[in-house]
Amino acid sequence: MPIYGVIHQSRQRYLETVVRSRNEVRLHPIESATQHSLWFQLDVSPMAELASQIDYYGNQVWFVSVETPHRELVLVTRAEVEVLERPFAYTLGQPWDETHLAYNPASEFTFASPRVPRLRAIEALAVELGVKPGDGESLLAANTELRQRFAYVPGATAVDTPLEEVLERRMGVCQDFAHVMLAVARNAGWPARYVSGYMLPESEDAVIGESHAWLEVGNNNGYWVGLDPTHGVEARGRHLSVAVGRDYDDVTPVRGAFLGQFRGEPPEVTVTIRLKPVDPERELALHLVDQ
């Protein structure tokens, strides 16, 4: 199975020396049936107190506390993740039975959330896209069609741009596309959750990438089907997940506060992803174990 190395660096500069800062970091790859985290490390400069726990949605959260004066905060995560083949194809089958869904934990993801409110504009968009309540095929088709109706324009929106504005202007980035499709899926009666992560390279050359976002729709057989409206495809082997939640607010990669007089500058983020060469000795060991 392919193994990927991911380095994610976030540099936060301040306009003055701040007394202390506290941050939450959600960049630890998720453990699932399709990916296995082999190794993870978080480095912080300046020296910080670190703690971690699993949040409500099952994400690994690191708490970073810097208690000394500093002018910048640098967070670097390094991870190695093995991407596994799916045991079988995930599809959106029969629609949920309302009674069954009402007693299923997935029902939480059918409701409006802070970044994905109920809007008449979403109802109109669902009609425009031909999405029918409980019809998985029409939702899959809408995931492909959305990119043809909304323009991907870097810088057209900010991290706090409301969904109403995205729908009105019909442009945005992956975060906006994910929120739009979340709203469409929930409007059609499907549980749908936001996913943050990365797109993976297909070769062994290092890739300077960026964080990515898509959504997962809950099927009534207990599985989640990934949809990537930014690329108009299903999220399969090239999508690496690091956190899930109701919307972006639940999975923000780095979020925190500091004690100072002025606002901080926007963080500088760089992501490097590499497909690691196959280790023949490791492959032989796995083969012997299988035998």
Side-chain angles (χ1 to χ4, degrees):
M1 302 302 173
I3 297 176
Y4 295 87
V6 181
I7 301 175
H8 186 122
Q9 176 176 290
S10 176
R11 182 185 299 272
Q12 176 69 65
R13 303 180 190 272
Y14 306 104
L15 298 177
E16 61 173 349
T17 299
V18 301
V19 177
R20 63 173 61 93
S21 64
R22 304 285 177 84
N23 284 271
E24 295 180 0
V25 178
R26 287 175 172 82
L27 289 171
H28 197 297
I30 288 175
E31 193 76 18
S32 72
T34 57
Q35 61 184 55
H36 173 51
S37 182
L38 302 174
W39 177 74
F40 178 85
Q41 179 176 310
L42 169 61
D43 295 318
V44 182
S45 178
M47 186 176 295
E49 297 177 8
L50 302 179
S52 69
Q53 69 179 39
I54 304 299
D55 72 8
Y56 176 79
Y57 298 105
N59 306 309
Q60 182 85 40
V61 185
W62 288 86
F63 300 96
V64 179
S65 301
V66 180
E67 301 296 331
T68 56
H70 53 288
R71 286 295 299 268
E72 70 175 17
L73 175 66
V74 181
L75 304 167
V76 182
T77 62
R78 296 177 173 86
E80 288 189 2
V81 185
E82 184 176 35
V83 177
L84 311 173
E85 293 182 5
R86 290 181 174 181
F88 50 84
Y90 298 170
T91 60
L92 290 177
Q94 296 297 318
W96 282 85
D97 174 82
E98 291 187 5
T99 302
H100 180 204
L101 179 58
Y103 290 95
N104 191 292
S107 64
E108 176 178 4
F109 295 101
T110 63
F111 302 120
S113 57
R115 295 288 190 112
V116 187
R118 298 287 187 186
L119 300 171
R120 290 189 179 275
I122 286 294
E123 297 176 5
L125 178 61
V127 173
E128 179 184 340
L129 294 171
V131 177
K132 303 173 184 177
D135 183 356
E137 290 299 321
S138 66
L139 188 63
L140 293 175
N143 181 64
T144 301
E145 182 74 15
L146 188 72
R147 181 59 195 273
Q148 301 174 27
R149 298 175 185 268
F150 284 69
Y152 183 87
V153 182
T157 57
V159 70
D160 57 351
T161 299
L163 183 60
E164 295 92 331
E165 184 176 334
V166 175
L167 292 167
E168 180 180 350
R169 300 176 61 195
R170 295 215 166 189
M171 62 177 62
V173 293
C174 60
Q175 171 187 308
D176 306 304
F177 281 62
H179 282 154
V180 171
M181 272 305 297
L182 275 174
V184 171
R186 291 172 183 171
N187 182 73
W190 294 94
R193 63 188 186 184
Y194 187 101
V195 188
S196 67
Y198 311 101
M199 287 291 293
L200 297 172
E202 297 179 324
S203 69
E204 293 183 4
D205 296 329
V207 174
I208 304 300
E210 57 187 10
S211 296
H212 190 47
W214 59 96
L215 67 146
E216 290 179 336
V217 180
N219 204 349
N220 59 10
N221 61 11
Y223 294 96
W224 293 87
V225 179
L227 302 181
D228 182 352
T230 302
H231 296 97
V233 299
E234 292 186 46
R236 293 186 175 178
R238 292 191 58 211
H239 292 72
L240 181 66
S241 306
V242 298
V244 298
R246 295 168 300 168
D247 54 37
Y248 177 81
D249 283 351
D250 291 332
V251 304
T252 307
V254 180
R255 174 174 56 199
F258 61 88
L259 185 58
Q261 186 175 4
F262 303 103
R263 293 173 61 103
E265 298 181 349
E268 302 169 13
V269 178
T270 58
V271 177
T272 303
I273 305 174
R274 185 188 298 275
L275 173 60
K276 299 180 70 63
V278 175
D279 182 348
E281 293 185 1
R282 179 179 181 276
E283 292 298 311
L284 176 60
L286 289 176
H287 176 73
L288 293 175
V289 169
D290 291 338
Q291 295 299 316

